[in-house]
Amino acid sequence: MFSAATSYYGGPMQSHALSAFDLRHSLNSYYNKTSRHVFSCKARSLTQFSCGGSSSDQEIVIAMGSNVGDRVSTFDRALQMMKSSGVNITRHACLYETAPAYVIDQPRFLNSAVRGMTKLGPHELLKKLKEIEKDIGRTGGIRYGPRPIDLDILLYGNSQIDSETLIVPHERIHERPFVLAPLIDLLGTSCDGGTETSWHSLSKCSGGFFESWNKLGGESIIGTEGIKRVLPVGNRLLDWCEKTLVMGILNLTPDSFSDGGKFQQVEAAIAQAKLLISQGADIIDIGAQSTRPFAKRLSPNDELERLVPVLDEITKIPEMEGKLLSVDTFYAEVASEAVKRGVHMINDVSGGKLDPRILKVAAELGVPYVVMHMRGDPSTMQSEQNLHYDDLCREVASELYTQVREAELSGIPLWRIVLDPGIGFSKKSEDSAELVSGLKSIRREVGKMSIGASHVPILLGVSRKSFLGEICNLANPDERDPATAVAVTAGVLLGANIVRVHNVGYGAVVAKLGDKFRKKMET
C-alpha cells in the first residue's frame, strides 16, 4: 500500500508487516554460551585486532542517515564507496523516513543500515567511514544537526569496544527507533548461536535487541509521523501501508491469455493507458512478451521492437503526470532500455532466473525490482515436477527469499525489492487460492530468514487467472472480473500492497474498500 508522498527531500511518507519479534525467552538460553571480547583503546598495550587490521573477516552492522540533499542518491553513493573501501555488503535493512531527534528544527531523515563482512579493524573501518562522509560532503556542523550522510558502526563481530573515538555497540542504540528499526531488519528469528546471539548478548536488555525494540513500541510505531517505511520510486518516497497501489496491465502482445492482440498498435495502447489511468491506476505495467503457460519466448530485440514505440509515446501524455510506469520483462537489455525511456520499476516474473544479468542491471539503474516466484520458465512451469509442493507457503517463501538474497548480493538494496508469490505460475488452481489466503504465512516464513525481507511490499497478480475460472466455472477470462474483485479484496485484507489488474475500475474500488476494512480490523 502506498501513499504518494512528496520527494526525497522530505514530507509525508507501515506495512502489512509482521509484529515485532519478541524472542526474549529463546535468547536467554543462549547467553551463557556467548563470549564477549572487550577492547579498550585507552590502554597502550593494544592488540592489532582491536585498533588496527584484522586477519579474518568480521561481521559488522553500519547505520546510515541523511537529511540534506538527494538522500536516496547519497545512500546509493555511500554503499558503493563502502564496497570500494573493504566492506562486503551482504544484507540491507528497509528504508525509513524519520522525524529528527534531539535537534528537531531540521529536515526529516532517511535511515537504514547494512550488514556485511570486512577485514578492516574497527578503528580502520571508522577511519574509512569518516573519509566517505567527508567525500560526500559532510563538514563539522552542530551535533545532531543536518548532515548529507552519517555512517556509524553499530556492531563489530562479537566485540565490545570502548575507546576515546569509538564505542561499540553504539551507545545510543537503545533510545533511537531510527537505529533500532533498521538493526532489527538485519536479524533473523533463529537464535541457534553464532554472531546474532553474540550481538543480542551485547545489548542492554535480557531479551536482546528485540526487547529494546519492543520497549520503544516496536511495529506499533511504524507508520506514525515519527518513523515510516518507504519505497523510493521515481522522485518520491512511497509508504506502502497508507494505500493499496493499483497496477493496471497493458499487454502489447498478440498471445496473452486475456487481452492478447488488443493493444499491439501504438494508438490502441495509448488509449488503453489513458483509460486505465482514468479508472484509478497508480502504475501502468507494460509487457511486450507473453508469459502465459507454454508461450513462445521472444528475443530481447523482438520484445523491444514492440515495447519502445509505446514507451516513447506514453511518457509524453499529460495523464502520466504523477503516475508510475513498470516494465514486465525478464531480459536485462529490455529493462535497461525501458528505464532509459522513463520506466520507474522492473517487474520480473523470473526473479532473475531467466536472465541473471538483470540483477546487476537493476542494481545499476537504481529502480524498484519485483521478484516473482516461478519454477522453470513459461514453457515448463506447469510440469509435474514444478507443480509439486510439500508445504506450499513455506516453499514459496523459501524460494522467494533465495531470489531476494541473489538480488541483494548483486547490489539491489532490500529497500528497492517487492515480492510477488507468482499466482498461477508453477501453481495448480488450489495452490493459487491457498497462496492468496496464505499471504500472512508467507511473510512469517520469510521473517524466519530475514525480518527485513518480511516487511517489503507484496504484489498480488490474480487478475482473470485460470484458478478463478476453475473455481467459478468461467471459461472466458473477460468474465472473471467479479471473481478477480473478490480475490483482490481478500489479498488486500491479508497483506497485499500492490494489486495488478486488467479492469482497473473494479480494482481501484475494491482496493479502496479493502483498505478501509483492513484499517478497521486493525483498530
Side-chain angles (χ1 to χ4, degrees):
M1 300 176 188
F2 300 72
S3 65
T6 54
S7 70
Y8 290 156
Y9 300 94
M13 298 299 143
Q14 157 180 176
S15 104
H16 290 298
L18 300 173
S19 58
F21 293 89
D22 185 359
L23 302 184
R24 280 173 283 184
H25 300 299
S26 58
L27 284 166
N28 288 339
S29 64
Y30 292 104
Y31 284 157
N32 60 354
K33 303 177 184 177
T34 306
S35 61
R36 299 187 188 186
H37 298 280
V38 181
F39 299 96
S40 174
C41 289
K42 296 176 182 177
R44 290 181 178 270
S45 56
L46 299 174
T47 66
Q48 178 68 16
F49 172 74
S50 63
C51 287
S54 170
S55 59
S56 60
D57 283 337
Q58 298 294 319
E59 194 158 18
I60 58 173
V61 175
I62 298 172
M64 307 169 66
S66 173
N67 75 333
V68 174
D70 187 335
R71 300 169 295 173
V72 174
S73 292
T74 295
F75 274 19
D76 289 337
R77 185 178 173 194
L79 291 178
Q80 292 304 316
M81 295 176 77
M82 280 192 275
K83 292 174 185 176
S84 300
S85 299
V87 177
N88 178 25
I89 296 173
T90 57
R91 289 192 184 187
H92 309 75
C94 296
L95 192 64
Y96 296 83
E97 192 184 51
T98 64
Y102 310 117
V103 178
I104 62 174
D105 187 18
Q106 58 177 318
R108 292 172 68 83
F109 277 83
L110 279 190
N111 291 99
S112 191
V114 294
R115 180 171 170 174
M117 305 294 293
T118 188
K119 290 185 182 295
L120 298 171
H123 289 78
E124 189 179 2
L125 174 61
L126 177 64
K127 180 181 177 182
K128 293 287 187 182
L129 296 180
K130 294 303 177 186
E131 289 172 356
I132 292 171
E133 290 180 342
K134 183 177 179 180
D135 288 345
I136 288 177
R138 182 171 179 180
T139 56
I142 63 172
R143 192 180 188 193
Y144 306 130
R147 68 210 71 174
I149 191 66
D150 189 13
L151 302 173
D152 288 317
I153 303 172
L154 299 184
L155 297 162
Y156 184 94
N158 59 358
S159 304
Q160 186 173 342
I161 304 168
D162 188 356
S163 76
E164 294 179 357
T165 58
L166 180 62
I167 297 176
V168 176
H170 194 282
E171 58 185 334
R172 291 185 177 269
I173 288 178
H174 307 87
E175 67 185 50
R176 297 176 170 181
F178 60 87
V179 174
L180 266 176
L183 174 58
I184 294 298
D185 284 345
L186 295 171
L187 304 177
T189 58
S190 173
C191 295
D192 296 332
T195 300
E196 291 189 7
T197 301
S198 174
W199 287 347
H200 284 295
S201 75
L202 293 171
S203 75
K204 297 178 181 179
C205 294
S206 61
F209 291 114
F210 294 119
E211 182 178 338
S212 299
W213 176 229
N214 286 339
K215 283 183 176 180
L216 293 179
E219 278 299 308
S220 68
I221 68 172
I222 301 297
T224 65
E225 280 305 304
I227 180 168
K228 302 185 179 189
R229 287 193 189 97
V230 292
L231 175 78
V233 55
N235 64 348
R236 289 170 287 167
L237 296 172
L238 301 177
D239 173 359
W240 63 90
C241 243
E242 193 63 27
K243 170 187 178 295
T244 299
L245 206 66
V246 179
M247 175 183 277
I249 300 169
L250 180 57
N251 286 321
L252 311 181
T253 58
D255 54 347
S256 289
F257 80 94
S258 174
D259 52 7
K262 292 184 178 180
F263 311 115
Q264 284 185 274
Q265 301 302 313
V266 174
E267 295 79 8
I270 299 303
Q272 178 66 5
K274 291 180 179 180
L275 175 62
L276 295 174
I277 293 169
S278 71
Q279 292 176 334
D282 302 291
I283 307 173
I284 303 296
D285 188 45
I286 305 179
Q289 171 137 219
S290 176
T291 52
R292 62 176 176 78
F294 312 111
K296 180 181 178 180
R297 187 186 301 191
L298 290 181
S299 69
N301 287 338
D302 288 341
E303 190 174 330
L304 282 169
E305 193 172 306
R306 290 179 182 173
L307 182 66
V308 167
V310 174
L311 278 183
D312 286 347
E313 292 303 315
I314 200 171
T315 53
K316 298 175 185 177
I317 63 175
E319 289 87 350
M320 280 304 304
E321 181 69 28
K323 305 299 180 180
L324 300 172
L325 279 176
S326 169
V327 62
D328 180 0
T329 188
F330 48 76
Y331 283 132
E333 297 100 313
V334 176
S336 180
E337 189 63 30
V339 172
K340 289 176 184 176
R341 293 175 181 271
V343 162
H344 304 98
M345 61 192 296
I346 300 167
N347 183 11
D348 180 0
V349 297
S350 79
K353 288 184 174 180
L354 296 184
D355 184 359
R357 297 172 303 158
I358 199 171
L359 299 178
K360 286 288 186 183
V361 166
E364 292 167 1
L365 293 170
V367 297
Y369 178 71
V370 180
V371 177
M372 197 193 82
H373 177 268
M374 176 174 65
R375 292 174 172 177
D377 60 33
S379 68
T380 63
M381 64 184 182
Q382 299 303 107
S383 68
E384 183 177 353
Q385 179 180 359
N386 286 331
L387 289 174
H388 176 75
Y389 297 89
D390 293 318
D391 186 328
L392 178 68
C393 289
R394 182 182 61 79
E395 290 174 57
V396 168
S398 177
E399 291 167 25
L400 265 177
Y401 185 62
T402 297
Q403 293 164 257
V404 169
R405 294 296 299 130
E406 289 295 323
E408 278 199 276
L409 293 172
S410 297
I412 305 175
L414 190 65
W415 64 70
R416 286 198 175 103
I417 290 177
V418 177
L419 296 182
D420 181 343
I423 304 299
F425 290 80
S426 316
K427 317 292 189 304
K428 299 175 185 176
S429 291
E430 58 266 32
D431 294 334
S432 291
E434 183 179 340
L435 283 178
V436 175
S437 62
L439 292 180
K440 289 186 177 181
S441 176
I442 291 172
R443 282 202 189 274
R444 282 193 298 270
E445 291 297 328
V446 171
K448 294 175 183 178
M449 297 168 279
S450 164
I451 293 176
S454 74
H455 292 321
V456 304
I458 286 181
L459 186 154
L460 186 67
V462 296
S463 187
R464 299 179 181 174
K465 293 284 177 74
S466 60
F467 84 101
L468 298 174
E470 291 189 23
I471 292 171
C472 301
N473 194 25
L474 297 169
N476 187 344
D478 290 341
E479 297 175 354
R480 299 172 189 165
D481 287 341
T484 298
V486 175
V488 167
T489 303
V492 173
L493 293 175
L494 294 169
N497 309 111
I498 309 172
V499 292
R500 184 176 182 272
V501 292
H502 295 86
N503 188 324
V504 170
Y506 277 5
V509 169
V510 298
K512 188 173 183 178
L513 283 173
D515 286 342
K516 187 76 171 178
F517 294 150
R518 175 184 55 79
K519 290 176 182 178
K520 289 290 185 182
M521 292 166 62
E522 291 173 352
T523 57

